[in-house]
Amino acid sequence: MYLKKSDPQVAKLIAAETKRQNETLDLIPSENIVSNSVLEAIGSPLINKYSEGYAGKRYYAGNAVADDVELLAITRAKKLFKLGDEWSVNVQALSGSPANMAVYFALLKPGDTVMGMALSSGGHLTHGSPANFSGKLFRMVSYDVTKKGFLDYNEIAKIARKEKPKMIIAGATAYPRVIDFQKFSNIAKEIGAFLMVDMAHIAGLVAAGSHPSPFLYADVVTTTTHKTLRGPRGALIFSRNDHMIASKKNPPAGGPGTKVSISRAIDQTVFPGLQGGPHDNQTAAIAIALSEAATPAFKKYAKQVVKNAKSLAKHLQQLGFTLISGGTDNHLMLIDLTNRGLTGKQAQDKLEQAGIIVNRNTIPHDTRSPFDPSGIRIGTPSLTTRGMKEKEMKEIAALISDTLTKGSLSVIQKRVKALCTKFPL
Ligand code: DSN
């Protein structure tokens, strides 16, 4: 409305990106499409406020509304994931990596041992990659998936017993199967480690009951809010009030040996430890997404995400594609392209030309580099938000196959556009 006049250059860029999203099929499993209400909150005057501190304990005046926004987001987060008073929620971390960083800094000392899933097996950068703060500041030990692509809980237990990590991380960015949080919890309990679950990818599925919940088993649960949860970019950190650690204050307020709850330690680490003022417009948009995710319509959506992923997987396999682990239980799948004579990068580029957006990805035990790995990762959250169902998944599998084999590019481009037009953003 205003932007077109005031800054046509940026307005044009936004229009171009909106058009790109409308006219392409987004199969990146960590992306989604937010509601207009979420967009409205992100662009609201809440963006103008500084509110360092927490509700009722702010440093600047004028924060009564910011307090209400934050408390509403917390209440809705707890309600959505059916949490009692033993859980606290921090809604201020700016995104997933800062949220994970806050947990590390609150619960661990630099040099402590942490165990997470190897990035090459489907973990996340913050789960111990040497290129990331986690791998630089902590002694990271990794667990892999098996050759077939499954978590091997006996092997994870063996590594845990040997390495004695102070914290175990369960969660992934490219694991197509159900994660057994109870098994992780048993391992963590046996060695006296914290269990942190990073449920960023599956948060929407957990909220809707389409993936088992980690909350019975974890000490801390982190998530982004913009993947299957379908909110704005942002993060939540859930932690148990009744789990205590030694106070890191030097000297501790209550004298040597003073303990604080892990929730308090995490709050103090987010602010003032790592950040200044929270983004209140983002918090309001998160609150909206949490309320949307509590509706029957969202439950149906999450079920359809999984149904669509299973359908897409089945059709791709019928067309000769090799799927890591032989299929999917959730919203994503990993395709090993080795038998197609293509690398992940070549496939990503070809598919993009056709209007099909995917990301190249390493496959477990990949012999190629992450810059040009052996696979691609695809998922259904975004397509499902557009209203696509099993019928469209069959067509999309055919489009992927045609693009990567024999098809005429211009014909495929037309088919992609026609499909997109039927399901506008
Ligand atoms: N970049 C995200 C993903 O695509 O899975 C993880 O943070």
Side-chain angles (χ1 to χ4, degrees):
M1 231 180 350
Y2 300 104
L3 195 62
K4 235 179 170 169
K5 271 195 183 157
S6 71
D7 192 336
Q9 222 177 340
V10 171
K12 223 167 125 190
L13 290 172
I14 294 175
E17 174 58 12
T18 310
K19 184 170 184 294
R20 185 197 70 77
Q21 290 183 18
N22 245 315
E23 293 181 354
T24 54
L25 296 167
D26 181 8
L27 278 91
I28 294 178
S30 49
E31 295 181 0
N32 213 325
I33 305 160
V34 299
S35 67
N36 287 335
S37 310
V38 166
L39 282 181
E40 201 174 317
I42 283 288
S44 71
L46 288 167
I47 203 167
N48 299 327
K49 188 67 193 123
Y50 246 125
S51 41
E52 278 121 327
Y54 289 99
K57 288 174 282 183
R58 307 284 184 186
Y59 284 82
Y60 301 168
N63 269 308
V65 175
D67 280 5
D68 286 347
V69 168
E70 184 162 321
L71 292 173
L72 186 64
I74 291 170
T75 306
R76 287 183 177 180
K78 286 176 75 167
K79 191 165 168 215
L80 180 63
F81 292 102
K82 303 183 178 66
L83 305 181
D85 289 340
E86 69 278 21
W87 285 90
S88 283
V89 193
N90 185 299
V91 299
Q92 294 194 5
L94 301 177
S95 207
S97 292
N100 287 353
M101 184 187 253
V103 176
Y104 279 67
F105 285 2
L107 304 191
L108 309 167
K109 289 192 303 294
D112 278 349
T113 303
V114 186
M115 185 165 102
M117 191 181 202
L119 186 60
S120 54
S121 273
H124 185 251
L125 279 170
T126 56
H127 300 178
S129 158
N132 180 262
F133 82 88
S134 54
K136 291 187 203 296
L137 296 181
F138 300 92
R139 182 181 162 263
M140 300 298 309
V141 289
S142 309
Y143 53 87
D144 285 303
V145 290
T146 59
K147 278 228 159 70
K148 290 201 165 150
F150 287 88
L151 285 167
D152 177 344
Y153 298 93
N154 290 330
E155 186 58 28
I156 295 168
K158 255 195 221 163
I159 305 172
R161 284 183 202 121
K162 179 166 172 265
E163 303 287 351
K164 301 257 178 321
K166 204 166 158 194
M167 184 166 82
I168 297 177
I169 303 163
T173 66
Y175 186 64
R177 295 298 181 176
V178 163
I179 299 178
D180 190 331
F181 298 120
Q182 185 170 14
K183 287 199 173 134
F184 269 107
S185 164
N186 291 342
I187 298 167
K189 281 209 177 95
E190 185 191 320
I191 61 157
F194 288 116
L195 176 61
M196 165 181 153
V197 173
D198 178 345
M199 65 166 187
H201 259 263
I202 54 169
L205 306 186
V206 170
S210 287
H211 187 290
S213 167
F215 286 98
L216 266 180
Y217 306 108
D219 300 287
V220 180
V221 177
T222 61
T223 184
T224 50
T225 44
H226 49 271
K227 298 187 174 88
T228 49
L229 198 53
R230 210 165 61 180
R233 308 197 87 78
L236 303 170
I237 308 173
F238 301 86
S239 56
R240 293 192 62 116
N241 302 313
D242 51 353
H243 291 195
M244 311 296 281
I245 49 167
S247 169
K248 282 194 177 175
K249 273 212 171 136
N250 201 7
T258 308
K259 293 203 158 191
V260 293
S261 72
I262 58 175
S263 310
R264 193 166 153 71
I266 288 169
D267 280 351
Q268 285 173 346
T269 307
V270 172
F271 172 84
L274 291 171
Q275 298 179 187
H279 297 181
D280 297 330
N281 57 324
Q282 189 179 3
T283 310
I286 288 173
I288 293 166
L290 291 167
S291 149
E292 289 172 353
T295 58
F298 188 88
K299 208 171 224 182
K300 217 167 140 197
Y301 159 73
K303 272 212 174 92
Q304 190 64 47
V305 166
V306 177
K307 275 199 225 163
N308 281 353
K310 283 183 186 293
S311 165
L312 187 55
K314 181 185 83 186
H315 292 301
L316 285 167
Q317 283 173 310
Q318 282 168 358
L319 292 165
F321 285 93
T322 305
L323 263 54
I324 300 297
S325 86
T328 180
D329 299 325
N330 58 25
H331 61 301
L332 67 80
M333 64 213 76
L334 262 180
I335 305 177
D336 176 358
L337 293 161
T338 314
N339 68 347
R340 310 294 290 213
L342 279 171
T343 68
K345 168 101 174 63
Q346 286 166 341
Q348 175 184 307
D349 292 348
K350 274 191 162 198
L351 289 165
E352 184 171 12
Q353 280 181 359
I356 302 169
I357 308 300
V358 307
N359 69 270
R360 62 186 188 266
N361 217 95
T362 48
I363 56 169
H365 312 283
D366 209 329
T367 48
R368 303 184 58 84
S369 92
F371 297 102
D372 193 6
S374 301
I376 52 173
R377 183 186 68 155
I378 62 176
T380 53
S382 198
L383 301 176
T384 310
T385 295
R386 292 177 81 156
M388 296 187 197
K389 296 220 166 84
E390 288 91 332
K391 183 171 159 242
E392 287 74 38
M393 296 306 120
K394 187 174 180 192
E395 165 74 352
I396 290 168
L399 285 165
I400 292 173
S401 176
D402 289 353
T403 308
L404 298 183
T405 46
K406 55 188 188 313
S408 139
L409 186 60
S410 63
V411 172
I412 298 168
Q413 283 168 335
K414 276 192 199 123
R415 282 164 61 199
V416 168
K417 246 195 191 159
L419 184 55
C420 290
T421 312
K422 275 203 261 170
F423 297 89
L425 234 65

